[in-house]
Tab-separated table of all heavy atoms in Angstrom:
chain	number	residue	atom	x	y	z
A	901	ILE	N	32.077	-56.308	-155.056
A	901	ILE	CA	31.735	-55.597	-153.768
A	901	ILE	C	30.616	-54.604	-154.044
A	901	ILE	O	29.612	-54.552	-153.279
A	901	ILE	CB	32.930	-54.985	-153.137
A	901	ILE	CG1	33.927	-56.056	-152.613
A	901	ILE	CG2	32.596	-54.003	-152.001
A	901	ILE	CD1	35.299	-55.513	-152.216
A	905	GLY	N	26.204	-54.510	-153.044
A	905	GLY	CA	25.763	-53.448	-152.106
A	905	GLY	C	26.784	-53.029	-151.070
A	905	GLY	O	26.414	-52.410	-150.098
A	906	GLY	N	27.997	-53.352	-151.304
A	906	GLY	CA	29.047	-53.033	-150.345
A	906	GLY	C	29.884	-51.890	-150.792
A	906	GLY	O	29.875	-51.494	-151.965
A	907	GLU	N	30.671	-51.350	-149.897
A	907	GLU	CA	31.625	-50.287	-150.198
A	907	GLU	C	32.908	-50.578	-149.388
A	907	GLU	O	32.860	-50.734	-148.193
A	907	GLU	CB	31.085	-48.919	-149.855
A	907	GLU	CG	32.057	-47.784	-150.129
A	907	GLU	CD	31.490	-46.471	-149.668
A	907	GLU	OE1	30.356	-46.352	-149.170
A	907	GLU	OE2	32.266	-45.460	-149.852
A	908	LEU	N	34.050	-50.681	-150.114
A	908	LEU	CA	35.284	-50.812	-149.408
A	908	LEU	C	35.653	-49.575	-148.695
A	908	LEU	O	35.689	-48.497	-149.338
A	908	LEU	CB	36.403	-51.180	-150.470
A	908	LEU	CG	37.788	-51.442	-149.909
A	908	LEU	CD1	37.760	-52.677	-148.994
A	908	LEU	CD2	38.786	-51.641	-151.019
A	909	LYS	N	35.835	-49.665	-147.373
A	909	LYS	CA	36.082	-48.474	-146.564
A	909	LYS	C	37.552	-48.281	-146.221
A	909	LYS	O	38.019	-47.175	-146.153
A	909	LYS	CB	35.253	-48.560	-145.276
A	909	LYS	CG	33.760	-48.536	-145.491
A	909	LYS	CD	33.367	-47.294	-146.240
A	909	LYS	CE	32.457	-46.429	-145.418
A	909	LYS	NZ	32.004	-45.300	-146.205
A	926	VAL	N	38.015	-53.908	-145.077
A	926	VAL	CA	36.841	-53.567	-144.323
A	926	VAL	C	35.832	-53.041	-145.280
A	926	VAL	O	36.010	-51.977	-145.905
A	926	VAL	CB	37.178	-52.494	-143.203
A	926	VAL	CG1	35.940	-52.112	-142.482
A	926	VAL	CG2	38.282	-53.017	-142.268
A	927	ILE	N	34.761	-53.816	-145.460
A	927	ILE	CA	33.710	-53.486	-146.403
A	927	ILE	C	32.437	-53.200	-145.580
A	927	ILE	O	32.107	-53.903	-144.659
A	927	ILE	CB	33.435	-54.719	-147.285
A	927	ILE	CG1	34.715	-55.070	-148.073
A	927	ILE	CG2	32.265	-54.451	-148.239
A	927	ILE	CD1	34.661	-56.465	-148.703
A	928	GLU	N	31.789	-52.094	-145.958
A	928	GLU	CA	30.562	-51.721	-145.272
A	928	GLU	C	29.377	-52.071	-146.190
A	928	GLU	O	29.351	-51.722	-147.388
A	928	GLU	CB	30.578	-50.225	-144.948
A	928	GLU	CG	29.394	-49.811	-144.059
A	928	GLU	CD	29.482	-48.403	-143.621
A	928	GLU	OE1	30.394	-48.121	-142.830
A	928	GLU	OE2	28.744	-47.561	-144.143
A	929	ARG	N	28.417	-52.739	-145.594
A	929	ARG	CA	27.184	-53.098	-146.348
A	929	ARG	C	26.007	-52.872	-145.427
A	929	ARG	O	25.961	-53.413	-144.330
A	929	ARG	CB	27.208	-54.584	-146.786
A	929	ARG	CG	26.048	-54.955	-147.629
A	929	ARG	CD	26.246	-56.334	-148.325
A	929	ARG	NE	25.153	-56.616	-149.181
A	929	ARG	CZ	24.268	-57.593	-148.951
A	929	ARG	NH1	24.437	-58.356	-147.872
A	929	ARG	NH2	23.271	-57.785	-149.767
A	930	ASP	N	25.065	-52.078	-145.881
A	930	ASP	CA	23.882	-51.707	-145.094
A	930	ASP	C	24.328	-51.162	-143.708
A	930	ASP	O	23.692	-51.463	-142.699
A	930	ASP	CB	22.941	-52.877	-144.907
A	930	ASP	CG	22.365	-53.378	-146.270
A	930	ASP	OD1	22.185	-52.557	-147.172
A	930	ASP	OD2	22.151	-54.590	-146.328
A	931	GLY	N	25.366	-50.362	-143.708
A	931	GLY	CA	25.841	-49.730	-142.480
A	931	GLY	C	26.620	-50.646	-141.537
A	931	GLY	O	26.963	-50.261	-140.439
A	932	VAL	N	26.795	-51.890	-141.944
A	932	VAL	CA	27.459	-52.853	-141.063
A	932	VAL	C	28.858	-53.198	-141.646
A	932	VAL	O	28.940	-53.631	-142.833
A	932	VAL	CB	26.654	-54.168	-140.966
A	932	VAL	CG1	27.423	-55.220	-140.123
A	932	VAL	CG2	25.292	-53.896	-140.431
A	933	PRO	N	29.942	-52.977	-140.892
A	933	PRO	CA	31.289	-53.302	-141.400
A	933	PRO	C	31.501	-54.850	-141.351
A	933	PRO	O	31.101	-55.532	-140.451
A	933	PRO	CB	32.233	-52.600	-140.435
A	933	PRO	CG	31.440	-52.409	-139.186
A	933	PRO	CD	29.987	-52.367	-139.586
A	934	VAL	N	32.061	-55.309	-142.467
A	934	VAL	CA	32.425	-56.747	-142.564
A	934	VAL	C	33.944	-56.757	-142.856
A	934	VAL	O	34.427	-56.088	-143.769
A	934	VAL	CB	31.659	-57.407	-143.714
A	934	VAL	CG1	32.081	-58.834	-143.898
A	934	VAL	CG2	30.165	-57.263	-143.497
Side-chain angles (χ1 to χ4, degrees):
I901 291 169
E907 179 182 359
L908 182 63
K909 295 303 242 181
V926 179
I927 301 166
E928 189 173 289
R929 184 167 183 248
D930 297 328
V932 178
V934 176

